[in-house]
Amino acid sequence: MIHPRRRPALLAAVPLAVTALLAAADPALAVGGVGAPGVGDPYFPLAGNGGYHVDHYDLTLNYDPGSRRLEGRAVLTARATQRLTRFDLDLRGLKVTGLTVDRTRARHRRDGQELVVTPRRALRAGERFRVTVTYSGVPGPVTDPDGSLDGWIPTDDGAFVAGEPQGAMTWFPANNHPRDKASYDFTLTVPEGRTAVANGVLLGKRTAHGRTTFRWRQTEPMAAYLATATIGKFQVQQFTTRDGVKVYNAVDPREATASAPVLRQLPSVLDWESKLFGRYPFRAAGAIVDRAPQAGYALETQTRPVYDRAPDIATVVHESAHQWFGDSVSLTSWKDIWLNEGFASYAEWLYAEQHGGKSAQASFDALYATAADDDLWAFPPGDPGGGRNIFDTPVYARGAMALHALRTAVGDRAFFRVLRAWADRHRHGHGTTAQFERLAEQVSGKELGGLFHTWLYAPGKPNIRTNSR
């Protein structure tokens, strides 16, 4: 993002007091067959849900930009990770008009952002099941701890849909945490003359009775916050790169002139990043350039980032780098967000360095020259302290500085091997800061604990002279 700124059989035999301690230690641990209302993320405790994994979402949406009314049907194909007598979905604000589990009506109730589902019969551990939810209403965004909006953000001609970190639940029922990734199908119907853009490959579109339906498919695993269904009056460009990646760009006509020179460079940006980070992770690519000043940021929605205005080249490089770092390799905790934003910010430095701009060292030096009371040093990027800080300067800039310090310590050859190995070994999966640290030590053959502590965890402005080399 660019800002302006489980084993039930064993648990049954555990004494009740011990079970309570286990539940307190891990909020995602379900007790007595009840799926937890969150995965235990320290910054967003109710994000995601325990007891199951979603394999696939099939979302059918009908949106009227005039009334801003959404009619939705979500079919979730999931697998129980334990015995489940009850489980939660994340859904905020919309009215549920019907819910079935394996085609049988299930009891459900609302509890804040939680949609609590009680199937007619208990689900066995390992059992695959299908949840169908029909819903409707006027969706709107959620306000994040830092005051920004995310989710379904209405625009003057449709909606800008960007869900980091909480917003997916504003427009479809989800297991809304990066730990739970799935494939997606989208069937989006809008008034004729509007375009509805989602993730992945466009399978087709059809117009009848004054409305157009777009069908999209995202086959590679995707976290819910990276899904989009952005709607507006767009100029569309489609082509296939020499590597077989299907590119789909949708641009608000008011942003077309300013966007054109930058979007022409997208294939070369992806090619450059593929040489640095390894093969591009997805079958599709592109951009959605909207006019959404009320959003105020761009987001790396998978395969097709959304921009609130015409982007500059640095922003395109940043959001494209996220396709490797954040989208393909995803977080297990929002606390580790520097793995997304520090990496994408450092990609900007590398691009400038290799395309006639200032060197990464010069970028590092300019930041290090700031005063010790500058916002850059407000908190360490490996421990932002809470959800309100995850999009602040230290996560981006000091996160990038941490990578440059690593590069300086191990040398270019080992450093770029680390980046490629990270993207390859965790492709379409997840990673943690601890895993990245171990990988860097393994590839470089150096002990790097002091370096990572200095740049990721130590408070205040680091003293470079004490940094591990």
Side-chain angles (χ1 to χ4, degrees), residues 169-189:
M169 64 181 175
T170 65
W171 59 285
F172 68 98
N175 195 348
N176 190 22
H177 192 275
R179 290 188 193 180
D180 200 69
K181 298 170 71 169
S183 57
Y184 283 72
D185 277 292
F186 304 85
T187 303
L188 310 175
T189 300

Side-chain angles (χ1 to χ4, degrees), residues 104-144:
T104 301
R105 289 181 62 183
R107 288 189 292 122
H108 60 275
R109 61 180 174 84
R110 306 300 289 271
D111 183 9
Q113 71 181 52
E114 302 297 313
L115 173 59
V116 184
V117 180
T118 304
R120 183 164 294 185
R121 63 167 183 83
L123 301 167
R124 301 182 306 275
E127 181 178 356
R128 294 190 179 277
F129 62 99
R130 180 172 292 183
V131 184
T132 301
V133 185
T134 55
Y135 54 97
S136 62
V138 178
V142 62
T143 301
D144 293 322

Side-chain angles (χ1 to χ4, degrees), residues 399-458:
M401 294 177 80
L403 289 173
H404 190 72
L406 174 63
R407 179 184 176 188
T408 302
V410 304
D412 279 11
R413 183 176 180 183
F415 175 75
F416 289 107
R417 283 178 59 206
V418 169
L419 293 188
R420 290 177 67 91
W422 180 248
D424 178 62
R425 295 185 189 184
H426 298 272
R427 186 180 181 87
H428 302 315
H430 298 83
T432 67
T433 297
Q435 288 173 325
F436 180 74
E437 292 175 5
R438 288 195 295 270
L439 175 65
E441 291 187 331
Q442 177 188 13
V443 170
S444 69
K446 294 190 175 186
E447 195 285 315
L448 299 166
L451 181 148
F452 284 118
H453 174 77
T454 295
W455 286 101
L456 296 181
Y457 300 111

Side-chain angles (χ1 to χ4, degrees), residues 254-327:
R254 295 168 292 185
E255 302 293 330
T257 299
S259 295
V262 176
L263 293 185
R264 278 197 294 268
Q265 299 179 68
L266 177 60
S268 65
V269 167
L270 294 176
D271 185 60
W272 173 79
E273 291 180 333
S274 296
K275 288 180 172 63
L276 281 187
F277 310 140
R279 181 168 53 94
Y280 180 70
F282 306 113
R283 296 173 56 207
I288 306 169
V289 182
D290 207 346
R291 177 169 284 188
Q294 61 273 54
Y297 58 82
L299 178 66
E300 62 272 16
T301 45
Q302 191 158 303
T303 70
R304 193 159 294 111
V306 290
Y307 302 93
D308 67 315
R309 68 195 73 181
D312 59 19
I313 188 62
T315 304
V316 169
V317 168
H318 183 106
E319 305 304 342
S320 297
H322 274 309
Q323 303 307 306
W324 285 263
F325 307 115
D327 294 12

Side-chain angles (χ1 to χ4, degrees), residues 195-214:
T195 301
V197 191
N199 313 84
V201 174
L202 179 65
L203 300 182
K205 69 174 184 177
R206 178 177 59 87
T207 299
H209 309 296
R211 298 187 70 79
T212 302
T213 298
F214 296 81

Side-chain angles (χ1 to χ4, degrees), residues 10-25:
L10 293 177
L11 283 175
V14 177
L16 185 59
V18 177
T19 301
L21 287 173
L22 287 171

Side-chain angles (χ1 to χ4, degrees), residues 84-104:
L84 281 177
T85 59
R86 193 177 77 202
F87 61 90
D88 286 18
L89 298 169
D90 297 312
L91 182 66
R92 178 183 178 275
L94 298 167
K95 180 181 179 181
V96 174
T97 55
L99 194 152
T100 64
V101 177
D102 290 334
R103 300 183 180 180
T104 301

